[in-house]
């Protein structure tokens, strides 16, 4: 039961190195790899064999979680292409996106103050739709155009969107408790 730790996540799952991928194929291969390299299968091996099985299972799980989530898959593809999304250090955004952010934050604050779960739910749907649009754009930027600079910016935008969606979800939870 040898495991090649040098393969990237796409090679591990025998998928093309692409943002667009087949989630059913990813899940099927994940289940197969999980079964093949599960640490319980190494129960009779020495400590080194058990450790390697655990490391393989860990890498398989990490690869699956990375490839399954669009933002993580984009980050990983950009990393493989030599691009850092600089999410922690580069907060510069286009002015129209920043203005939209401010409008969403104001709408969230107003809905929270009014204790309006319906308005928060509607905002959540709007944010989800915007996120889905960004994911579609990421697919084009990475797979079709190889515009990794703009793709990095889109990842940063998606991160903002995730934070806003979390804020809306938290506000709804507080109001429903």
């Amino acid at each position: 039961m040898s495991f090649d730790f040098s393969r990237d996540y796409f090679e591990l799952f025998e998928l093309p190195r692409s943002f667009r991928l087949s989630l059913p194929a990813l899940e099927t291969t994940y289940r197969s790899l999980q079964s093949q390299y599960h640490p319980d299968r190494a129960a009779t091996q020495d400590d080194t064999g058990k450790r390697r099985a655990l490391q393989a299972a860990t890498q398989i799980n990490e690869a699956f979680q990375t490839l399954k989530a669009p933002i993580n898959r984009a980050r990983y593809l950009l990393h493989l292409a030599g691009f850092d999304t600089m999410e922690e250090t580069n907060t510069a955004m286009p002015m129209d996106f920043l203005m939209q952010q401010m409008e969403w934050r104001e709408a969230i604050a107003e809905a929270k103050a009014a204790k309006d779960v319906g308005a928060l739910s509607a905002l959540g749907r709007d944010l989800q739709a915007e996120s889905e649009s960004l994911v579609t754009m990421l697919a084009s930027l990475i797979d079709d155009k190889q515009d990794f600079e703009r793709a990095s910016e889109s990842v940063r935008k998606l991160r903002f969107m995730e934070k806003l969606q979390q804020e809306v979800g938290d506000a709804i939870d507080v109001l429903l408790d």
Side-chain angles (χ1 to χ4, degrees):
M1 179 168 36
S2 92
F3 185 86
D4 183 357
F5 289 95
S6 68
R7 293 180 292 179
D8 73 42
Y9 295 167
F10 291 95
E11 292 170 331
L12 175 62
F13 281 86
E14 298 175 355
L15 293 168
R17 199 182 276 190
S18 170
F19 184 81
R20 295 179 188 101
L21 56 76
S22 166
L23 288 177
L26 176 69
E27 290 173 9
T28 299
T29 305
Y30 172 67
R31 283 192 293 279
S32 173
L33 288 169
Q34 211 179 27
S35 171
Q36 185 179 357
Y37 292 101
H38 194 278
D40 288 350
R41 296 191 69 153
T44 60
Q45 294 185 14
D46 63 10
D47 287 344
T48 301
K50 290 176 185 174
R51 187 178 68 253
R52 286 189 56 79
L54 182 59
Q55 290 169 335
T58 299
Q59 185 164 342
I60 291 164
N61 287 330
E62 181 179 305
F64 178 69
Q65 293 304 319
T66 297
L67 297 181
K68 176 175 82 165
I71 193 167
N72 294 339
R73 185 169 61 250
R75 281 184 192 120
Y76 187 67
L77 281 163
L78 289 167
H79 168 77
L80 291 174
F83 283 80
D84 181 356
T85 59
M86 298 184 291
E87 293 167 66
E88 301 302 323
T89 57
N90 185 352
T91 57
M93 290 285 164
M95 188 56 69
D96 61 331
F97 184 75
L98 292 174
M99 294 302 291
Q100 183 64 59
Q101 287 286 312
M102 287 174 42
E103 290 173 20
W104 279 322
R105 288 198 183 281
E106 287 173 14
I108 293 168
E110 289 170 8
K112 283 168 60 174
K115 298 184 185 333
D116 189 343
V117 174
L120 286 167
S121 294
L123 276 165
R125 287 189 297 276
D126 290 347
L127 293 169
Q128 182 62 36
E130 183 65 25
S131 293
E132 289 169 6
S133 174
L134 282 168
V135 167
T136 300
M137 184 176 10
L138 261 175
S140 175
L141 290 170
I142 292 173
D143 291 349
D144 304 334
K145 299 176 183 170
Q146 287 81 45
D147 187 343
F148 302 127
E149 290 288 334
R150 286 187 50 216
S152 294
E153 180 180 283
S154 292
V155 167
R156 290 192 303 275
K157 286 180 179 180
L158 266 173
R159 186 148 183 245
F160 273 97
M161 300 303 294
E162 281 183 342
K163 289 178 183 179
L164 284 175
Q165 288 175 297
Q166 182 65 47
E167 189 176 332
V168 167
D170 291 347
I172 290 172
D173 290 345
V174 166
L175 292 176
L176 294 178
D177 281 345

